[in-house]
Amino acid sequence: MNTLVIGSGGREAAIVKALAKSKHSEKIYILNGNDGVTEAECVTDIDVSDHQKIGEFARDNKIDWVFIGPEAPLSEGLTDTLEDDFGLKVFGPRKYEAQMESSKAFTKALMEKYDIPTATHKTFTSVEDSKTYLETSDFPIVLKKDGLAAGKGVIIAHTLEEALDGVDALQTEGEELVIEEFLDGDEFSLMVFVNGDTFIPFNIIAQDHKRAYDGDKGPNTGGMGVYAPVDYIDQKYVDEAIEKIVKPTVDAMVSEGMNYFGVLYLGAIVTKDGVKTIEYNARLGDPEAQVLLDLMESDLLEVLMDLDKKQATELKFRDEYVVGVMLASKNYPGTPVLGNEVVIPESIQDDCIISALKRTGDTTFQTSGGRTVLVLGRGQTIEDAKTDAYNKVSQIEFENDAVFYRKDIGHRAF
């Protein structure tokens, strides 16, 4: 089978690696890819926003499956164009269904209507109303920009002053801002394959590290590291999330006339009142996908074919731990400083999932984005996997503070 992966980040590089392992895989293309992808042909002359040209390319190259990685093309309706205009099979929800991620207000309203556990919240379109509400609120409190924000549209405010500044940073007049209670507890990420009323949850969970600096300090990012599986969160909480959040959400989407086909990513938290929803995403997480797909033993194309037919299938994963450490450019998640050299020895390049590095030689790269490369470590214990990951990180050379990374990925597991 011929496949086309849409996207250029580490998640898409991991998807390509998973597809390359499939016994059904023939030709793999990635649009636009990056300099770390070696298992697919990179299509660099078509813009990801040009839906018609993408459809023409897929048709002309006899693509059997299109796998859309990032949230932006989903929210812009790429799936709609590829299905409606070109009759292609696409793994990734249509524009209406992608609102599960692209509109926090939409998703909060759905959860409220169907009584799905989440933080208490209010949605405002007026800056003045947002600030007035905050003046009588308890702190800490969470502000979420409606729409896509690459993982950086959330502010946890500990004081009224921080909250008011947060409104100015996230909201313009007429735009929706969700203000919700701060939930305290252990977070985990659960990926679920969904086709209408049928869903297949991953039977292992991952834990992302959103804050920029050690000790969960600093601003939110797109993810500074991740590990899986997460043993210290009891299976009963995962089961609770599936039974009280995922299944009711899938049923709610069907009741609302949605026909969701793709990945539904649940960001969940274990609170004193039970498991609650932090957010939904409409695609595989990044960097969660990199560790989960590395652990997956199931044939990804077979899983897609079974899901397409709504046939029961079980996802199988290797009995091992994987820790991923993200190297990010200086100043990320603000305006990153780009163009600095990074040297990655050939001996560890297979374990480095590149997202924003431009190759300048066999082992030399230049930083070209915020989060540059996720370094994977593996082991029979979480301790061994963490040691392996940081041993590999120590072999990477870079100019002064060209990149930075957290030194405590996986700390909650200890």
Side-chain angles (χ1 to χ4, degrees):
M1 302 179 79
N2 296 331
T3 52
L4 170 63
V5 177
I6 305 296
S8 58
R11 167 185 45 226
E12 291 73 45
I15 291 169
V16 166
K17 285 181 179 292
L19 291 173
K21 292 187 292 186
S22 171
K23 66 183 180 183
H24 303 284
S25 186
E26 295 177 35
K27 183 72 175 181
I28 306 173
Y29 299 91
I30 183 168
L31 190 157
N32 296 105
N34 65 55
D35 285 356
V37 177
T38 58
E39 302 89 348
E41 181 178 321
C42 292
V43 181
T44 59
D45 58 347
I46 301 175
D47 193 276
V48 73
S49 63
D50 195 334
H51 297 182
Q52 284 296 126
K53 281 193 176 179
I54 293 173
E56 291 166 4
F57 175 88
R59 178 195 61 204
D60 295 345
N61 288 276
K62 297 180 172 55
I63 298 299
D64 298 289
W65 278 99
V66 180
F67 202 125
I68 302 177
E71 57 272 29
L74 293 171
S75 69
E76 293 163 2
L78 176 56
T79 299
D80 304 54
T81 299
L82 298 182
E83 288 183 343
D84 296 346
D85 295 354
F86 297 93
L88 294 163
K89 282 190 174 297
V90 183
F91 190 65
R94 295 167 67 90
K95 183 176 183 177
Y96 177 62
E97 284 76 10
Q99 287 182 99
M100 293 298 293
E101 175 168 8
S102 65
S103 174
K104 292 177 177 63
F106 174 89
T107 307
K108 284 291 185 182
L110 182 80
M111 290 190 285
E112 185 173 24
K113 180 177 179 179
Y114 290 91
D115 201 24
I116 296 166
T118 189
T120 57
H121 61 278
K122 288 186 178 295
T123 301
F124 299 92
T125 56
S126 161
V127 171
E128 182 180 353
D129 289 348
S130 296
K131 292 184 174 181
T132 300
Y133 176 75
L134 288 167
E135 289 172 359
T136 58
S137 297
D138 296 326
F139 293 89
I141 200 163
V142 182
L143 285 66
K144 293 184 175 181
K145 180 181 179 66
D146 196 57
L148 302 178
K152 299 184 285 291
V154 177
I155 291 175
I156 300 173
H158 295 270
T159 65
L160 176 59
E161 183 179 8
E162 287 182 8
L164 296 177
D165 289 343
V167 172
D168 291 334
L170 297 181
Q171 186 180 26
T172 57
E173 192 64 31
E175 291 184 340
E176 290 183 311
L177 179 72
V178 176
I179 302 177
E180 64 181 39
E181 69 170 320
F182 173 77
L183 297 176
D184 189 26
D186 289 315
E187 299 180 20
F188 63 89
S189 304
L190 175 63
M191 306 296 158
V192 186
F193 287 151
V194 180
N195 182 6
D197 58 358
T198 301
F199 67 94
I200 307 167
F202 281 41
N203 50 23
I204 64 170
I205 57 175
Q207 191 169 70
D208 189 12
H209 296 59
K210 284 292 185 187
R211 296 299 190 96
Y213 310 123
D214 287 2
D216 294 324
K217 305 295 185 184
N220 265 9
T221 71
M224 290 298 297
V226 62
Y227 71 98
V230 184
D231 289 339
Y232 83 93
I233 294 180
D234 196 283
Q235 182 62 35
K236 69 180 181 180
Y237 295 117
V238 180
D239 295 340
E240 181 180 340
I242 293 170
E243 185 62 30
K244 295 185 177 180
I245 298 177
V246 174
K247 187 178 187 306
T249 299
V250 170
D251 291 343
M253 290 192 297
V254 172
S255 296
E256 292 295 309
M258 300 168 72
N259 186 21
Y260 197 103
F261 186 61
V263 177
L264 191 64
Y265 161 138
L266 169 65
I269 185 167
V270 182
T271 75
K272 60 182 176 58
D273 300 317
V275 182
K276 294 188 177 183
T277 310
I278 297 175
E279 65 178 357
Y280 272 120
N281 291 326
R283 37 71 191 181
L284 284 167
D286 183 349
E288 294 95 334
Q290 287 89 308
V291 299
L292 292 171
L293 292 178
D294 184 80
L295 284 165
M296 183 183 284
E297 290 185 325
S298 298
D299 185 310
L300 183 56
L301 278 175
E302 285 190 358
V303 172
L304 290 188
M305 290 186 285
D306 287 345
L307 184 66
D308 186 41
K309 299 171 186 174
K310 296 191 175 183
Q311 291 180 352
T313 187
E314 181 183 355
L315 300 178
K316 297 179 180 179
F317 295 87
R318 197 169 66 252
D319 185 17
E320 196 175 31
Y321 293 82
V322 178
V323 171
V325 179
M326 186 69 73
L327 275 61
S329 294
K330 180 180 178 180
N331 286 352
Y332 177 79
T335 302
V337 178
L338 307 181
N340 287 311
E341 185 172 87
V342 175
V343 181
I344 304 177
E346 288 187 4
S347 59
I348 65 169
Q349 285 188 18
D350 283 347
D351 298 324
C352 294
I353 311 297
I354 288 173
S355 52
L357 289 175
K358 181 179 179 181
R359 186 182 290 274
T360 56
D362 290 341
T363 62
T364 55
F365 301 83
Q366 285 186 342
T367 57
S368 58
R371 294 184 301 155
T372 64
V373 58
L374 187 76
V375 183
L376 301 183
R378 305 176 186 87
Q380 289 303 308
T381 66
I382 184 68
E383 292 90 346
D384 290 345
K386 182 176 180 179
T387 298
D388 186 43
Y390 281 105
N391 280 342
K392 291 169 183 170
V393 169
S394 70
Q395 299 176 52
I396 297 175
E397 301 173 18
F398 48 89
E399 304 168 348
N400 299 320
D401 55 353
V403 297
F404 70 96
Y405 58 91
R406 283 183 56 164
K407 299 172 181 62
D408 64 345
I409 301 304
H411 69 90
R412 296 185 193 92
F414 299 93

